[in-house]
Amino acid sequence: MADLPMRPRIDPLPPRGDEPGELNIFRTLAHNEKLAKGFLRLGGHLLGGGVLPAREREIVILRTGSRAGSEYEFGQHTRIGRQAGLTDDEIARLADIDAGRWSDDDAALVCMVDELCGHDVVSETTWQRLRARWSDAQLLELLVLAGFYRLASGMLNSVGVALEPTTPGWPPDAVGARRAPRDDPP
């Protein structure tokens, strides 16, 4: 796997002042306003307007961020995952290549992400496991969710978007974790 940049390759634009706590990802995307609007529209739909329960959505996002080696994405969604009901132990297991023990439904989500990240296709066995639980609308959203967060993770890694001082990073014992740049505290 390629090395992460030691510092941001594209610096985030300064905060506008009208949006407190503006994240580095959005301030970086602001360099391309049209792209940022489309990115935010799809991301907003997936986070708040989709057909998936929040906990399951966060399992997919966290595992995708982990598999893509995106500490920034993983850190941001650590907070959101906790709010969605994931425990710190579950979040830590999603950062590990060996994801540990899960319910059958949760394990199918982890397998789906691992297969998409490894082979760009979900196996027939995993598909049947998913189909037993999820509707066609939900299956499509699961695939788009994993793809969107793979795209976001690759962009974050390549641009070197720095973690905000208050954003958690990898769990302490994450296997194979690659450290992202970090903003200096203000």
Side-chain angles (χ1 to χ4, degrees):
M1 206 175 269
D3 293 331
L4 291 173
M6 297 302 290
R7 58 176 304 292
R9 291 175 169 165
I10 298 175
D11 289 323
L13 294 176
R16 293 185 197 165
D18 59 347
E19 297 179 36
E22 231 179 329
L23 300 175
N24 288 339
I25 182 176
F26 304 127
R27 293 179 28 227
T28 301
L29 282 169
H31 284 278
N32 184 328
E33 191 173 321
K34 287 183 179 182
L35 176 66
K37 284 181 181 179
F39 184 92
L40 291 171
R41 186 169 181 205
L42 180 55
H45 169 77
L46 293 170
L47 278 178
V51 295
L52 297 172
R55 182 181 176 282
E56 287 80 357
R57 179 196 70 220
E58 292 305 315
I59 287 172
V60 171
I61 293 171
L62 284 161
R63 185 62 171 187
T64 302
S66 171
R67 289 299 305 262
S70 179
E71 186 175 17
Y72 187 93
E73 197 64 66
F74 197 91
Q76 288 297 337
H77 282 273
T78 291
R79 282 189 259 196
I80 298 169
R82 286 177 183 141
Q83 293 169 355
L86 289 170
T87 66
D88 285 341
D89 177 64
E90 289 172 320
I91 291 167
R93 283 188 280 140
L94 289 166
D96 196 345
I97 275 301
D98 177 15
R101 304 279 308 152
W102 294 94
S103 70
D104 289 344
D105 289 342
D106 291 349
L109 295 174
V110 172
C111 284
M112 178 199 76
V113 171
D114 289 351
E115 291 173 3
L116 283 171
C117 290
H119 307 290
D120 291 314
V121 67
V122 177
S123 71
E124 187 62 30
T125 300
T126 300
W127 186 258
Q128 292 308 318
R129 290 170 64 196
L130 293 166
R131 179 166 281 301
R133 164 71 170 87
W134 306 104
S135 69
D136 287 348
Q138 290 171 319
L139 289 167
L140 288 168
E141 192 161 310
L142 285 167
L143 295 170
V144 171
L145 181 69
F148 179 82
Y149 281 92
R150 254 181 103 188
L151 173 145
S153 293
M155 184 274 298
L156 290 162
N157 287 346
S158 296
V159 174
V161 174
L163 289 164
E164 293 82 12
T166 59
T167 301
W170 296 118
D173 296 327
V175 175
R178 298 182 303 157
R179 301 288 172 201
R182 201 175 259 286
D183 271 354
D184 293 327

